[in-house]
Amino acid sequence: MEEGDRDRKDHHRLNACRFLHSRKNIVTTSSISPASVPGDSIAWVRISSCYLPLATPISDAKVLTGRQKPMTEIAMLFAEIRTKDGNEGLGFSYSKRAGGPGQFAHAQEIAPALIGEDPSDIAKIWTKLCWAGASVGRSGMAVQAIGAFDVALYDLKARRAGLSLAKLLGAHRDSVRCYNTSGGFLHTPLDQLLVNAQASRERGIGGIKLKVGQPDGALDMRRVEAVRKHLGDAAPLMVDANQQWDRPTAQRMCRALERFDLVWIEEPLDAYDFEGHAALAAAFDTPIATGEMLTSAAEHQELIRNRSCDYLMPDGPRVGGITPFLKIAALAENAGLMLGPHFAMELHVHLGAAYATEPWVEHFDWLEPLFNERLEIRDGRMLVPTRPGLGLSLSEQARAWTRVHAEFGKQP
């Protein structure tokens, strides 16, 4: 080897050693143990049980078949979380007709487990709360109580980042298609049904959903036909049987409803009849929608595995919050399903915006008195709020309707 070549190789070796040494110093300087960095932690939690009265008792097919009484109020479970650094989050769950006191009682039992936790560790906290109440299961009322805390933690995280919840999750769109349900219940006379449908469309709401499932199917057909004629063939129209048909009736009704070019037929069968729903989805052109009554990610996984629907309808608070909802959404996207989250538009407008394919979000104005803010509707779409987090704050009316509350920890 020539002496010049040897000098150049020695020079390169020296530079390489210097580079590695400098990288080592950088890594060593920045590799501070997480335990040595003081982080934020949950210092205070408040839960409250609020009962929202409905102006008119609500009846769907479950009432007409004698299985339930008309609905007169909604029990809301609110969770407010504050950290030692002053970050705040608001979350909620709910129950209709029954379960409100049980949700609050379970939330009261598990809430102390939140104190001292890092609010960023949302999945870890969800699991901790689930195990804290493991003896009552991992679905139903138990996870619905967790849902209020989970939503509050996501709200806190998005607020801290200065982002809307949709942007924090990764939004695909700034608005979502919306449809109205509250004007189409079975207690509503046909003449008023037409007035309600027209008013919703004039307000800017895109689709109209009608309740069906009466013991006399001819009455259902008459109402659907009247609304279709009133709104025209191009208007998005859905129907919801609220699980009140048996398999032969569902076959006949789905076949008869095909001519109305519906967006979907919702819950034609019992929520847990996965095979029956799958048979209807395979047999008819009109899409089948279901899922709102399921209360865990595992139940939704079974529904998806059976190809039981075309539109999946998870309910964030019912399944335990945003953490399990995102798992369900990932399964649905992988299966190529469309999404139509149930109720709670104040939450689902964000979750719908983060779904890969265009969803439908259900418009109910029932919860509006509980919050100081309002969602904006325009040209058939619901605009995603740009305010940080959910973009919501509790109203004085919500405080006035609160029947019981409990606090844990100390306010910072």
Side-chain angles (χ1 to χ4, degrees):
M1 180 181 296
E2 295 292 335
E3 184 175 352
D5 293 337
R6 186 180 297 107
D7 291 342
R8 282 193 294 271
K9 287 183 180 292
D10 290 341
H11 177 72
H12 289 320
R13 290 192 188 98
L14 179 59
N15 285 339
C17 290
R18 287 172 176 168
F19 174 76
L20 290 173
H21 180 70
S22 66
R23 295 297 296 168
K24 182 179 179 181
N25 287 340
I26 292 173
V27 172
T28 302
T29 302
S30 62
S31 297
I32 303 173
S33 171
S36 67
V37 179
D40 202 2
S41 61
I42 297 171
W44 175 81
V45 175
R46 183 182 196 269
I47 59 172
S48 54
S49 181
C50 168
Y51 282 77
L52 167 72
L54 299 178
T56 303
I58 302 301
S59 295
D60 57 24
K62 299 187 293 293
V63 174
L64 272 65
T65 57
R67 291 177 169 173
Q68 289 184 346
K69 296 179 180 180
M71 181 166 54
T72 59
E73 61 185 8
I74 299 174
M76 302 294 299
L77 173 64
F78 289 110
E80 298 167 80
I81 295 176
R82 189 170 299 158
T83 72
K84 68 179 183 64
D85 289 347
N87 295 300
E88 299 180 354
L90 170 66
F92 64 89
S93 189
Y94 73 93
S95 184
K96 298 177 180 178
R97 292 188 175 90
Q103 284 187 8
F104 180 83
H106 190 64
Q108 192 171 14
E109 286 187 302
I110 63 177
L114 289 156
I115 303 302
E117 288 288 343
D118 185 332
S120 294
D121 297 337
I122 301 177
K124 172 190 170 184
I125 293 172
W126 196 99
T127 301
K128 182 179 182 180
L129 295 178
C130 186
W131 278 106
S135 63
V136 291
R138 302 183 186 183
S139 64
M141 188 182 296
V143 300
Q144 288 161 13
I146 295 173
F149 299 124
D150 189 77
V151 173
L153 289 170
Y154 267 99
D155 181 52
L156 186 155
K157 193 170 189 174
R159 288 193 199 188
R160 189 176 58 196
L163 299 171
S164 70
L165 175 62
K167 293 294 186 183
L168 179 77
L169 298 176
H172 289 271
R173 56 196 65 84
D174 295 325
S175 65
V176 295
R177 296 181 295 186
C178 63
Y179 69 96
N180 178 262
T181 296
S182 54
F185 278 87
L186 290 176
H187 66 269
T188 309
L190 179 56
D191 289 348
Q192 186 62 43
L193 196 69
L194 301 180
V195 171
N196 292 348
Q198 185 65 33
S200 292
R201 295 281 289 174
E202 290 175 357
R203 184 179 173 182
I205 296 171
I208 301 296
K209 189 171 80 176
L210 307 177
K211 295 293 186 175
V212 294
Q214 302 181 76
D216 183 356
L219 296 178
D220 287 336
M221 297 300 295
R222 197 174 305 154
R223 288 162 70 89
V224 175
E225 185 170 20
V227 173
R228 171 53 83 203
K229 182 177 180 181
H230 182 73
L231 295 179
D233 294 338
L237 186 62
M238 304 86 160
V239 300
D240 181 1
N242 286 110
Q243 310 177 74
Q244 296 309 295
W245 292 330
D246 55 26
R247 288 190 180 188
T249 303
Q251 286 279 345
R252 288 194 296 270
M253 292 300 293
C254 286
R255 186 175 298 110
L257 289 166
E258 287 271 72
R259 65 188 177 95
F260 294 114
D261 192 24
L262 302 174
V263 176
W264 67 60
I265 299 171
E266 185 175 335
E267 286 195 320
L269 297 169
D270 184 89
Y272 292 92
D273 187 356
F274 300 145
E275 292 182 359
H277 277 103
L280 295 176
F284 296 105
D285 293 336
T286 304
I288 299 299
T290 190
E292 69 176 67
M293 296 305 297
L294 305 183
T295 60
S296 69
E299 292 169 353
H300 279 275
Q301 184 177 20
E302 187 67 10
L303 186 149
I304 294 169
R305 187 183 69 81
N306 279 274
R307 306 297 302 183
S308 300
C309 63
D310 305 286
Y311 276 94
L312 191 68
M313 311 188 83
D315 182 314
R318 275 187 179 164
V319 299
I322 297 170
T323 295
F325 186 99
L326 294 177
K327 295 178 182 179
I328 293 166
L331 292 171
E333 181 183 349
N334 187 61
L337 298 182
M338 295 172 283
L339 195 72
H342 169 254
F343 197 58
M345 64 182 185
E346 292 81 1
L347 169 63
H348 291 134
V349 64
H350 292 276
L351 300 182
Y355 193 64
T357 57
E358 179 76 26
W360 283 95
V361 169
E362 189 168 24
H363 178 274
F364 271 96
D365 55 13
W366 292 355
L367 303 188
E368 286 185 345
L370 300 172
F371 305 108
N372 294 313
E373 299 78 13
R374 296 291 178 271
L375 293 176
E376 186 176 350
I377 309 293
R378 188 187 306 156
D379 299 327
R381 304 182 68 83
M382 187 180 295
L383 276 59
V384 180
T386 57
R387 300 179 296 274
L390 291 173
L392 298 175
S393 58
L394 287 180
S395 67
E396 289 302 315
Q397 183 62 78
R399 303 292 188 192
W401 283 333
T402 296
R403 296 182 184 177
V404 61
H405 74 276
E407 296 186 18
F408 308 87
K410 294 182 180 180
Q411 292 217 45

